[in-house]
Amino acid sequence: MAAPTVELGAKGFSLSSTTTYSAANSLAHVEIDSSALDKLKPSSSSSSSLPPSLTPSSNSSPRFLPPVLARAAIVVFLNKLLSSDSSVRRSLPALLQQSLALSSGFEKLDFSSPASLLHSLCSITNKDVSTVSASPEEIGFFETSSSAEIAIAAILDCCATALIRVSDAVAALSCEAGRADPAAFDLPVSGDGFSRKDETDVAADIKMLLFGSKLAGKNGSPVFLQIPSSFGLFREAVRSLHACVRIELNSSVKLRKPTEDGNYGKKASVVDLVWFLAKPMKSMAESSFKRAKLNIESIVDEKIRSEVESLFNKQCVSVDGFKETFKSVLDNYMERNDNVAFLQGVYDLLVKFREILAWEAALALFSIEIDDSIEKNRGDALVNAQPNGENAKGDKKGEKKKKKKTLGKGTSAILQLLTDQVANCKEVSGDKVATSVEWAGDLSKYFDPRDSRLEILVAKVKEIVESNEVRRLPKIPKGTRDFAGEQMAIREQAFSTIASVFKMHGAEALDTPVFELKETLMGKYGEDSKLIYDLADQGGELCSLRYDLTVPFARHLAMNNLSAMTRYQISKVYRRDNPSKGRYREFYQCDFDIAGQYEPMLADFEVIVVLTQLLDKLDIGTYEIKFNHRKLLDGMLDICGVPAEKFRTVCSSIDKLDKQTFEQVKKELVEEKGLSVETADRIGAIVKKRGHPFEILTELKAEGSKFLENSGSVAALGELDILFQALKEANCLDNLVFDLSLARGLDYYTGVIYEAVFKGTTQVGSIAAGGRYDNLVGMFSGKQVPAVGVSLGIERVFAIKEQQAKDRNQVVRATDTQVLVSILGKDVISASKLATPLWNANISAKMKVSKRVMDHITFAKQKGIPWMVLVGESELASGVVKLKNIELNEEITVSREDYVEELRKRL
């Protein structure tokens, strides 16, 4: 079969790690698209003006690479030349292509400098070096392209990516051979961000490969327990390297000077990611070696076990040797700062790791194959061979055969695939111990991407772990939750309470779309705009999921030209945040807003009353409501010397004081926001003030206060005085705190701002927040409509209520079912005749048919159903029913005509 052709420079072509590996191993021919050559610019006469630091050094030491890595570097260099905007003559790409067409000579390529590479390329292609001498642009291009580093990283990426699936398959076989405890792979997936995705994915994949296994044991060896974590880190590292290499292989090259340490940004990023790969690869190699030893220990025959162990110790890379090589690679890099040598060393480590993995696989296969207690799919000579040379099929007549154990569905398929390749494709050696060595050698070649069979193995493993047949449990996205049963009962009760408070204050319900035009949302949330979820473009409209309910409310007012409205809305909002305990990406908000022109602080007062009534009626326990004013904040920043254009961004930093110390916030203000240390310290002295509303108000209004020199601050203090006086008359001041650190980072606030914080043992933080936003509606329509509102973070309230129910041992009923219609038998028709009159009378009822009385009673107790209508054969014959009170354990008998009315009286 002819090797495929890679046409560099073709329209739409992008170089990949796999393509680079194929070309480097002569598995694909490299051609140059003619149009790419036509686009190259000839070398200009102004090239001599390039920085002299890009010219080659005459005293550089030779840099030779192994042929495969050298070919890869030439492929990458050629691809970058063809996509370059620099001045490159056609002769140079042609020279590179001609060299790639050769089968040897790459061990002589010297990558130490452009001149050295050019001379060695001419040498292996029999060209006159004087005809292809490099121009300064081409010299600079070579220095800047980092081709060798990117090429070796691409080879590493290709090999390591394949080993992700291979290592999973081999580890699963070792789990079978070593009778591993499957509990090692029971890792729960957390919806709040407290689980590592790669780690849980590895555990799930191994579990799928072992699905249906009857070999599961109690071996809880750490070498099995560590599989999810070490394999997960390896996956993460490979994915990061793959993303970087994919970009660097096809990125354009800009001529520039190297940095002082000789590194370019590309080199540094690639080296860092390869180092990130090398560390988990070391852990993988060590654990693979240990599992190989366990596979040997699982061989029952002592003589075979001893011989296999002896051969393994002599011929396999030792774990100590691997560690020593790893240390040598690291030491050389740290001392010489040689990127290419480091990357080449990591590639050598990967080859050694692959050899250890092959030994682990061979020993797992061997251990399973010679174990006659395990059922295999084939009946070859090796399967039936016994340690004493007798045939397993020669059991004496009358002897009871033991039932053989089976492998998992996935491991069984992998076992057959591997043994078909390493055993059945050639005659099996009569010496079983020597066979294990042969298999290790064959598998080492098999696990190399040069072997076409590897693609089949990787595809098979992927097919198994993604197959519906093995019933992989579905997941929900991080930051989301399912709610059912008792949780929904608590939520519905809370929603009912909240809606009743809103309606008591004359609010009308409003519902808005779950997504808005992106332009509607942008520019309203300050630095939090990065948390908005954008949707895919559909029909030319850029949409985003709503971030809160306030901006959609303002949009509704503007769109409908409304100048006044008191509304409430209970709906879900979405934030692309990092999930944590009590912090979700999808959650409900309960909003109450008053829009329109009113007397100063009248609407603000009512909103705060609504908030206190909500928190009191929900009975969540101790809370406090922190107050501040946006104009007071702006006045404070002005007093402290903050430029006006930085007010909003500084407020975003101050708003973090409820989660961070002032020293952390100060560092952000100085290093990121550009404030002086003195200005940050002045802010710190003021934002630490908090206390009873009237005490702080009196202090800020005292004679000589700097706040009295700022017109905005004076207006804010006057408004807060009116508000606090009104709240005092309404007996709503007890839980209020005047806190000058409260900033509320959203850009649209213009006046009073507040935040309710739970003070109980359940750590949930802020449970409600809001403020005045007089300019938000005008941002849409140009018509100013003053508004003020509050939003209750109901998810955190639910967390408090659920914990309270748990602490108080409260029984929360998931349903409102009042009556269980219990038929002692299987008569569905009788059940329907008894239940239908109850439903017609608006009595909540559920039917159950079962011959056992205790089934009915147990079900009623579990669901908290207070009454039962019990009917058996005798009751049917007599035309009566029994009414049973579950709590009191009392029964009465009534006629069929009267049971509905009797239940209505007693419920």
Side-chain angles (χ1 to χ4, degrees):
M1 181 176 169
T5 298
V6 176
E7 196 165 10
L8 299 180
K11 185 177 180 180
F13 173 82
S14 61
L15 189 62
S16 67
S17 296
T18 304
T19 307
T20 304
Y21 191 87
S22 297
N25 286 278
S26 301
L27 301 175
H29 296 303
V30 176
E31 298 288 346
I32 298 176
D33 185 81
S34 58
S35 62
L37 289 174
D38 294 338
K39 289 187 293 186
L40 291 179
K41 300 176 183 177
S43 183
S44 65
S45 58
S46 62
S47 59
S48 59
S49 63
L50 279 173
S53 59
L54 294 181
T55 58
S57 174
S58 59
N59 58 358
S60 59
S61 301
R63 159 72 72 196
F64 300 110
L65 298 177
V68 169
L69 301 184
R71 289 179 65 89
I74 296 300
V75 171
V76 173
F77 187 38
L78 176 55
N79 186 59
K80 288 186 173 292
L81 275 175
L82 295 174
S83 59
S84 171
D85 290 332
S86 304
S87 298
V88 177
R89 292 158 304 146
R90 295 174 62 126
S91 57
L92 185 54
L95 177 65
L96 295 171
Q97 185 199 353
Q98 289 168 20
S99 68
L100 289 171
L102 302 174
S103 59
S104 62
F106 286 88
E107 70 280 356
K108 300 175 183 177
L109 293 184
D110 183 359
F111 286 85
S112 61
S113 69
S116 301
L117 178 61
L118 195 62
H119 277 275
S120 51
L121 281 169
C122 289
S123 174
I124 68 171
T125 57
N126 295 317
K127 294 284 184 182
D128 182 357
V129 70
S130 63
T131 63
V132 287
S133 58
S135 68
E137 286 101 332
E138 292 160 353
I139 291 171
F141 189 93
F142 173 86
E143 293 284 352
T144 312
S145 66
S146 307
S147 299
E149 289 89 340
I150 296 170
I152 300 173
I155 299 296
L156 278 166
D157 173 36
C158 180
C159 295
T161 299
L163 289 183
I164 288 177
R165 295 296 186 189
V166 172
S167 56
D168 288 351
V170 173
L173 287 172
S174 291
C175 289
E176 296 277 35
R179 308 302 195 269
D181 187 348
F185 309 108
D186 289 334
L187 296 186
V189 179
S190 170
D192 56 11
F194 288 104
S195 63
R196 296 179 67 99
K197 182 179 184 302
D198 289 303
E199 186 174 334
T200 54
D201 283 351
V202 169
D205 288 350
I206 299 290
K207 200 169 183 180
M208 293 308 104
L209 291 169
L210 296 173
F211 183 79
S213 172
K214 301 302 181 184
L215 294 179
K218 297 297 182 183
N219 189 344
S221 170
V223 76
F224 295 127
L225 297 174
Q226 292 165 1
I227 287 174
S229 58
S230 61
F231 282 37
L233 285 173
F234 184 70
R235 283 191 185 192
E236 185 179 352
V238 172
R239 189 172 60 252
S240 299
L241 179 63
H242 179 76
C244 177
V245 168
R246 183 176 60 85
I247 294 170
E248 297 301 344
L249 282 173
N250 299 284
S251 61
S252 59
V253 176
K254 302 295 182 184
L255 294 185
R256 62 186 186 277
K257 290 183 179 181
T259 55
E260 291 182 2
D261 63 358
N263 255 338
Y264 296 88
K266 291 181 180 180
K267 292 181 183 179
S269 62
V270 167
V271 169
D272 288 344
L273 289 171
V274 170
W275 172 238
F276 181 42
L277 171 69
K279 294 171 76 175
M281 188 167 69
K282 172 177 174 286
S283 299
M284 292 270 283
E286 291 173 7
S287 62
S288 179
F289 187 88
K290 292 175 184 177
R291 287 192 299 275
K293 299 281 280 186
L294 285 179
N295 292 339
I296 294 173
E297 292 174 13
S298 67
I299 298 173
V300 177
D301 187 281
E302 188 175 341
K303 181 182 176 184
I304 295 178
R305 182 171 67 246
S306 177
E307 291 177 2
V308 170
E309 185 172 18
S310 177
L311 286 172
F312 173 71
N313 290 335
K314 289 178 182 178
Q315 300 194 30
C316 180
V317 177
S318 70
V319 71
D320 290 335
F322 189 91
K323 289 179 181 178
E324 193 61 37
T325 305
F326 181 86
K327 184 177 183 299
S328 175
V329 170
L330 177 60
D331 289 346
N332 285 338
Y333 170 65
M334 297 297 289
E335 292 172 9
R336 295 164 51 193
N337 197 25
D338 190 332
N339 290 329
V340 175
F342 169 69
L343 296 171
Q344 186 178 339
V346 175
Y347 176 68
D348 293 338
L349 284 172
L350 186 139
V351 173
K352 292 180 185 296
F353 166 46
R354 194 162 60 203
E355 182 183 336
I356 295 173
L357 196 64
W359 268 100
E360 180 193 352
L363 293 170
L365 292 176
F366 185 78
S367 170
I368 293 170
E369 288 288 6
I370 66 171
D371 188 341
D372 65 338
S373 69
I374 301 174
E375 183 177 324
K376 269 77 71 172
N377 292 332
R378 296 178 331 282
D380 60 59
L382 185 62
V383 173
N384 296 313
Q386 298 298 297
N388 60 6
E390 295 180 3
N391 197 310
K393 294 180 181 178
D395 296 325
K396 293 180 181 178
K397 191 175 181 179
E399 283 187 359
K400 187 176 180 180
K401 291 180 68 176
K402 289 185 178 180
K403 186 177 181 180
K404 292 189 175 185
K405 295 181 178 179
T406 56
L407 299 168
K409 291 183 178 180
T411 46
S412 179
I414 292 167
L415 177 84
Q416 184 163 358
L417 181 63
L418 292 180
T419 50
D420 281 350
Q421 298 296 333
V422 300
N424 286 0
C425 289
K426 63 180 188 294
E427 186 177 344
V428 179
S429 169
D431 184 347
K432 292 184 292 297
V433 176
T435 297
S436 66
V437 180
E438 291 178 25
W439 286 1
D442 286 346
L443 289 170
S444 184
K445 296 174 185 175
Y446 193 172
F447 296 165
D448 189 325
R450 283 180 291 188
D451 194 319
S452 59
R453 298 174 299 172
L454 178 61
E455 189 176 343
I456 299 172
L457 173 62
V458 170
K460 186 64 178 176
V461 177
K462 185 178 180 182
E463 177 192 341
I464 293 167
V465 299
E466 293 179 355
S467 170
N468 289 329
E469 182 185 356
V470 293
R471 293 177 177 83
R472 175 194 286 272
L473 289 176
K475 303 175 184 177
I476 59 173
K478 289 189 294 184
T480 62
R481 292 189 294 174
D482 287 331
F483 298 97
E486 291 79 6
Q487 287 179 309
M488 281 305 299
I490 292 174
R491 294 167 78 85
E492 288 175 349
Q493 185 181 25
F495 283 141
S496 176
T497 300
I498 293 165
S500 68
V501 172
F502 289 160
K503 290 176 181 178
M504 186 171 64
H505 288 265
E508 55 186 289
L510 175 69
D511 191 23
T512 58
V514 74
F515 53 88
E516 298 273 353
L517 292 177
K518 185 176 181 179
E519 63 190 48
T520 300
L521 303 181
M522 297 309 294
K524 314 299 190 303
Y525 304 106
E527 295 183 2
D528 284 346
S529 292
K530 62 189 177 188
L531 302 181
I532 293 174
Y533 263 115
D534 292 332
L535 302 179
D537 182 4
Q538 297 288 340
E541 287 190 335
L542 294 177
C543 298
S544 301
L545 293 177
R546 62 188 175 206
Y547 178 89
D548 66 3
L549 302 178
T550 307
V551 171
F553 172 54
R555 188 263 308 148
H556 173 79
L557 292 174
M559 192 175 75
N560 293 281
N561 196 28
L562 299 175
S563 57
M565 183 180 187
T566 299
R567 83 87 164 89
Y568 78 90
Q569 185 172 355
I570 301 174
S571 300
K572 287 183 176 180
V573 298
Y574 302 85
R575 297 185 183 177
R576 194 165 54 87
D577 210 345
N578 289 321
S580 60
K581 187 174 179 60
R583 195 178 190 91
Y584 297 92
R585 289 175 170 172
E586 178 194 60
F587 54 94
Y588 271 98
Q589 279 190 344
C590 304
D591 277 25
F592 176 88
D593 294 81
I594 300 175
Q597 198 72 47
Y598 298 95
E599 287 298 314
M601 307 314 291
L602 178 65
D604 306 74
F605 161 72
E606 186 168 9
V607 170
I608 300 302
V609 171
V610 167
L611 175 57
T612 55
Q613 288 178 345
L614 273 180
L615 298 179
D616 289 340
K617 289 199 172 187
L618 287 170
D619 190 26
I620 61 170
T622 308
Y623 64 89
E624 72 174 20
I625 302 175
K626 298 188 291 185
F627 267 87
N628 204 351
H629 199 294
R630 252 303 159 74
K631 292 178 182 177
L632 197 63
L633 266 173
D634 290 349
M636 176 192 74
L637 297 178
D638 183 42
I639 291 167
C640 294
V642 178
E645 65 271 13
K646 291 188 177 182
F647 280 6
R648 294 287 77 85
T649 185
V650 170
C651 281
S652 294
S653 298
I654 295 173
D655 198 39
K656 299 176 183 177
L657 282 169
D658 60 337
K659 305 179 187 70
Q660 299 179 3
T661 65
F662 179 73
E663 288 306 314
Q664 292 172 307
V665 171
K666 177 182 175 181
K667 184 178 180 182
E668 181 177 312
L669 290 173
V670 174
E671 296 181 2
E672 297 181 25
K673 304 300 171 70
L675 300 188
S676 66
V677 174
E678 294 76 15
T679 300
D681 286 336
R682 285 195 290 270
I683 292 172
I686 297 176
V687 297
K688 292 175 184 177
K689 296 181 184 294
R690 74 186 305 271
H692 190 277
F694 287 116
E695 290 179 3
I696 301 297
L697 193 64
T698 301
E699 181 181 346
L700 297 180
K701 293 173 69 175
E703 187 176 349
S705 170
K706 292 283 186 181
F707 287 93
L708 298 180
E709 300 174 7
N710 183 280
S711 59
S713 296
V714 172
L717 292 171
E719 290 178 355
L720 288 172
D721 195 0
I722 296 171
L723 177 62
F724 294 156
Q725 294 286 357
L727 290 172
K728 180 181 178 182
E729 295 300 320
N731 296 317
C732 292
L733 208 59
D734 292 344
N735 294 315
L736 268 60
V737 176
F738 198 164
D739 189 339
L740 288 177
S741 71
L742 180 65
R744 301 292 299 147
L746 302 183
D747 277 3
Y748 53 65
Y749 286 125
T750 59
V752 64
I753 51 177
Y754 31 84
E755 181 175 275
V757 180
F758 180 62
K759 306 299 288 185
T761 55
T762 305
Q763 299 298 312
V764 295
S766 172
I767 51 177
R772 174 162 286 279
Y773 50 98
D774 288 346
N775 300 328
L776 186 56
V777 178
M779 293 175 71
F780 295 112
S781 65
K783 175 184 176 182
Q784 296 300 102
V785 179
V788 61
V790 65
S791 177
L792 181 69
I794 193 65
E795 301 295 343
R796 296 182 178 186
V797 171
F798 290 148
I800 297 167
K801 299 292 288 182
E802 289 167 10
Q803 187 61 46
Q804 285 178 339
K806 185 177 179 181
D807 293 342
R808 299 169 184 171
N809 292 320
Q810 288 180 328
V811 177
V812 180
R813 291 188 59 196
T815 70
D816 292 329
T817 306
Q818 298 169 295
V819 179
L820 178 65
V821 177
S822 301
I823 303 299
L824 300 177
K826 296 184 178 181
D827 191 348
V828 176
I829 296 173
S830 294
S832 69
K833 287 181 179 180
L834 287 167
T836 300
L838 292 172
W839 294 331
N840 292 338
N842 291 321
I843 296 175
S844 176
K846 184 167 181 63
M847 299 177 293
K848 184 174 179 60
V849 292
S850 174
K851 292 181 178 180
R852 300 181 69 246
V853 176
M854 285 310 299
D855 286 349
H856 295 276
I857 295 174
T858 301
F859 181 82
K861 287 181 177 179
Q862 287 175 344
K863 299 297 182 181
I865 302 173
W867 284 89
M868 292 173 61
V869 175
L870 270 168
V871 176
E873 291 182 3
S874 60
E875 285 80 15
L876 285 172
S878 304
V880 297
V881 300
K882 286 183 179 178
L883 304 183
K884 182 178 180 66
N885 184 310
I886 300 297
E887 185 178 356
L888 300 178
N889 196 24
E890 294 178 352
E891 290 182 6
I892 60 171
T893 301
V894 297
S895 68
R896 289 283 294 268
E897 291 78 15
D898 299 330
Y899 79 98
V900 174
E901 190 59 34
E902 190 64 34
L903 278 171
R904 198 200 302 271
K905 293 177 184 177
R906 294 174 178 271
L907 286 172

